Structure formats: structure tokens, C-alpha cells
Amino acid sequence: MSDIESRVSDIMLAKLRVRDPSLDRSDFDKSIYDLDLDSLDVVELTQILERELKVRADRREIANLMLLEEFRSYFVLLATR
């Protein structure tokens, strides 16, 4: 895993563990909704990642992401452009 991949994962886990401290990277293969995240959680996570990575996400793209891994990969891609 690259440095940016690790950083994005760590940022995501910090936010997600507020709701469920038992979450880890193996949970990234789960759906956002299977983890009982609502739209506000997704918005907050998006804002945190945008701020930390100094990127701007496309809200339409975010709305189409179902798995946490897709979400992570999207932000890795943004951060490496």
C-alpha cells in the first residue's frame, strides 16, 4: 500500500471509528449503507478528506460510490493527480 493509500485509509478510519471503534481496513469491502452510514456521515467524511488531502470531490461521483473501497480509491486518485 502506498503512502497516499495509507493516509486516505487512516483518515477514513479515524472518522468511521467514531461510530464503530471495531472497524478496520477489512471493512472497506462493505457497502457504506451496510455500515449504517447515512448521507450526513458521507458528507462529513467527504469534507474531511477534501480538507486533509487538499482536493475537491465531485458530489455526483460520490453519490455513485457504494463500497468504502470505491470511496477510498476515488480519493486516492484525486490526491495523486
Side-chain angles (χ1 to χ4, degrees):
M1 185 176 291
S2 72
D3 288 343
I4 192 64
E5 289 171 321
S6 291
R7 185 166 179 224
V8 171
S9 295
D10 291 344
I11 294 167
M12 287 177 62
L13 283 173
K15 166 63 179 150
L16 296 170
R17 285 181 175 154
V18 170
R19 289 187 65 110
D20 183 350
S22 70
L23 292 176
D24 62 26
R25 289 183 178 154
S26 68
D27 293 304
F28 285 0
D29 66 346
K30 295 180 180 172
S31 164
I32 291 169
Y33 303 104
D34 287 343
L35 295 172
D36 204 25
L37 300 175
D38 61 25
S39 59
L40 182 57
D41 293 315
V42 173
V43 168
E44 289 175 349
L45 183 56
T46 298
Q47 290 173 339
I48 290 167
L49 286 162
E50 286 178 325
R51 184 176 54 249
E52 292 292 322
L53 301 171
K54 297 177 179 32
V55 297
R56 177 59 96 189
D58 182 331
R59 299 299 192 258
R60 291 170 293 184
E61 290 283 330
I62 295 294
N64 292 322
L65 304 176
M66 290 291 135
L67 301 177
L68 282 177
E69 179 56 37
E70 294 171 334
F71 198 84
R72 187 189 70 83
S73 295
Y74 176 73
F75 276 94
V76 167
L77 180 66
L78 287 179
T80 57
R81 285 187 181 165

